[in-house]
Amino acid sequence: MAYDSDNIFAKILRGEAPAFKVFEDEYSLAFMDVMPQVPGHTLVIPKDPTEDIFNADPVILSHTMATVQTVAAAVKQAFEVPGIMLAQLNGPAAGQTVFHLHFHILPRTDGIDLQMHARGMADFAELEAHAERIRAAIT
Ligand code: AMP
């Protein structure tokens, strides 16, 4: 499948769609998932127009993973959770719904289950408050 430059993350990167941004550098962008599976659910994407892991340039992927590491540490601190789960889906059969490579950062705590994937839009004021907490925790 060819990369679709009209996907929602491409629009966020072009500034054509809003996002609750937490971190940005030359290669990557991190922002809140608008349908969080758990409070603090954050996404990291490369700025490169890359559909999935198979099409990713290894150099860009390594820069993106450095951002995943930075943001995951900030999410862990901001939400005071003992664990962080990373998820990354490739292809519809794996559950991928947005065809621009992205990594999910999910705070995990014993006894708190994840909500269904990509269901239910969160309150925007709450997402902005969560983004601010994560931004404040980025060193
Ligand atoms: P995946 O199923 O792995 O492709 O995940 C796509 C994720 O993008 C889901 O968790 C959605 O909740 C999330 N999502 C969809 N649209 C937006 C958006 N405009 N801003 C932030 N997250 C989004």
Side-chain angles (χ1 to χ4, degrees), residues 121-135:
M121 194 80 84
D123 177 76
F124 281 6
E126 186 175 63
L127 287 176
E128 178 48 33
H130 288 175
E132 180 50 35
R133 268 161 74 177
I134 298 167
R135 285 194 291 265

Side-chain angles (χ1 to χ4, degrees), residues 112-129:
I112 299 186
D113 292 333
L114 296 179
Q115 292 180 21
M116 291 291 285
H117 181 233
R119 304 271 171 88
M121 194 80 84
D123 177 76
F124 281 6
E126 186 175 63
L127 287 176
E128 178 48 33

Side-chain angles (χ1 to χ4, degrees), residues 39-40 72-84 107-110 112 133-134 137:
V75 170
K76 187 173 188 297
Q77 185 184 319
F79 285 83
E80 298 177 331
V81 287
I84 290 287
R108 298 307 307 270
T109 306
D110 283 340
I112 299 186
R133 268 161 74 177
I134 298 167

Side-chain angles (χ1 to χ4, degrees), residues 8-9 12 17-20 31-37 41 43 87-91 94-104 106 116-121 124 127:
I8 186 65
F9 294 170
I12 287 172
F20 300 94
F31 51 95
M32 305 311 295
D33 193 305
V34 287
M35 291 173 268
Q37 290 182 261
H41 184 170
L43 301 172
Q88 193 277 309
L89 314 180
N90 299 282
Q96 186 177 7
T97 58
V98 177
F99 295 94
H100 181 111
L101 176 65
H102 53 279
F103 293 85
H104 297 261
L106 296 145
M116 291 291 285
H117 181 233
R119 304 271 171 88
M121 194 80 84
F124 281 6
L127 287 176

Side-chain angles (χ1 to χ4, degrees), residues 4 38 48 56 69 80 87 95 109 120 133:
D4 173 12
V38 66
D48 206 47
Q69 185 182 42
E80 298 177 331
T109 306
R133 268 161 74 177

Side-chain angles (χ1 to χ4, degrees), residues 7-10 12-13 23 25 27-31 43-48 60 64 67-68 98 100-103:
N7 76 73
I8 186 65
F9 294 170
I12 287 172
L13 284 169
F23 180 85
D25 67 10
Y27 298 98
S28 57
L29 174 68
F31 51 95
L43 301 172
V44 175
I45 65 173
K47 291 186 172 178
D48 206 47
I60 286 169
T64 304
T67 297
V68 170
V98 177
H100 181 111
L101 176 65
H102 53 279
F103 293 85

